[in-house]
Amino acid sequence: MNLLANQKVILGITGSIAAYKSADLVRRLREQGIIVRVVMTMAATQFITPLTLQAVSGNRVHTDLLDVETEMAMGHIELARWADLILIAPASADFLAKLTYGHADDLLSTLCLATAAPIAVAPAMNQQMWQAFITQENCKKLQQRGIHFFGPATGAQACGEVGSGRMLEPFELVHQIENLLTPKKLQGIKVLLTAGPTREDLDPVRFLSNRSSGRMGYAIAAAAQALGAEVTLITGPVALSPPLHVSIFSVYSAQDMLTSVLAHIETTDIFIATAAVADYRPVKMETQKIKKNQESMILQLEKNPDILAQVTQLTNPPFTVGFAAETHQLIDYAKDKLKRKNLDMIAANQVGIEGSGFDSEDNALHVFWQDGDMVFPRCSKKQLARQLMLLITERYFENTAQ
Ligand code: PMT
């Protein structure tokens, strides 16, 4: 169900200092299950060796247009047909000019002429070169021809200047590719998510909380956005960079989270509750630090509102997906929550184990709905989120069609 798995990308590398980031980019693309073939211009080989790119891509690197041996293995026309996408990163000013005027004097420019696949460029050059009238004119022509532009970013440059012309970071490029290659099945659909923990204050320096890192919820937000949804993420305190093109609302306690959810719910089509909401809060928040002058103490707690249950009790609830985090009897408890909270779907995960669930890179899910279920074996939360979002999309449209 991973839409990016086995997609075929030609990564074209041209002569720019940003070429040193290409190895990391290849690695990140392969993590998504993408098959990468690298094509380098001669200038690019001055910045990073083909051997490095061969090692990280797992495929022979192409550099020559007229190499008999390479042509025997996979000719340039065959290579141009093979690709689902050609990404040129970094794309130098010179290469953008060649692309504009249809040159075909090296392998990479020839492939760009010979392919029917979409082409994307990630410009990387000195800020003055980027701003130059002729570069801007070339870019306008390329955009009119449907070439996708990823960046450039603004900031400090290798030449010591500051300005626009920096290549996007590899993680941002992966995100852009994900966006480009993922069918926009959720275009026009509004998705609201909760993620991370909540904190319930005991006194000015202490709180009750849990081990949620927010990774699962943030990954689902990014996956929903890649499918074309308009995504709003209500997040408890976490140490993560926000997903791109997602509206973020930061909250602290369960009560704050409920208020924020209710403020957004009316226009929501799909609600996904990934947050680990504190079930209880202290009856009283002390205004001064609690002193340790007793051998033991009893904290009196009261129940927090159940956000998920409040959403499904609305007159017109959205398609609602809950999570169940359990240390034991996972399936029984998840099925019970599905019914009791009147959910459309529930994603159950085993917690309290090493390397999965709370505060880990990986997770595994068993998803239930009224008349079906699906197991997603352990993998990275990013991959899992894409698989889960595809299932949610499928179930959502099936539900709305009824
Ligand atoms: O954040 P990570 O480190 O990536 O970890 C991910 C995760 C383990 C937190 C996530 O996958 C997960 O399981 N989230 C739900 C955690 C949880 O609180 O589960 P629960 O079984 O206690 O709650 C059931 C459902 O009710 C959840 O959807 C929860 O968001 C919701 N709930 C719970 C209590 C409450 N007061 N209001 C709620 O809406």
Side-chain angles (χ1 to χ4, degrees), residues 8-72:
K8 300 187 277 299
V9 171
I10 289 179
L11 174 65
I13 305 176
T14 71
S16 158
I17 181 62
Y20 82 88
K21 295 179 183 172
S22 302
D24 185 30
L25 176 58
V26 173
R27 189 184 58 81
R28 286 170 186 264
L29 291 172
R30 290 192 71 197
E31 271 174 13
Q32 309 297 321
I34 294 173
I35 305 166
V36 186
R37 285 187 176 271
V38 176
V39 176
M40 300 175 78
T41 64
M42 280 305 150
T45 62
Q46 302 293 311
F47 291 93
I48 184 166
T49 69
L51 192 61
T52 305
L53 275 315
Q54 181 171 304
V56 287
S57 70
N59 279 314
R60 185 182 179 149
V61 171
H62 306 254
T63 49
D64 294 323
L65 178 58
L66 303 172
D67 179 326
V68 178
E69 228 180 275
T70 322
E71 280 294 302
M72 291 273 286

Side-chain angles (χ1 to χ4, degrees), residues 301-326:
L301 304 176
E302 62 189 350
K303 222 169 181 184
N304 263 327
D306 190 316
I307 302 171
L308 203 47
Q310 291 214 16
V311 167
T312 56
Q313 277 162 20
L314 295 170
T315 320
N316 271 322
F319 184 87
T320 301
V321 183
F323 267 69
E326 307 292 349

Side-chain angles (χ1 to χ4, degrees), residues 123-138:
M125 66 197 75
N126 163 270
Q127 54 93 19
Q128 204 63 51
M129 290 170 79
W130 171 248
Q131 278 173 31
F133 177 76
I134 188 66
T135 305
Q136 289 303 311
E137 283 294 294
N138 290 342

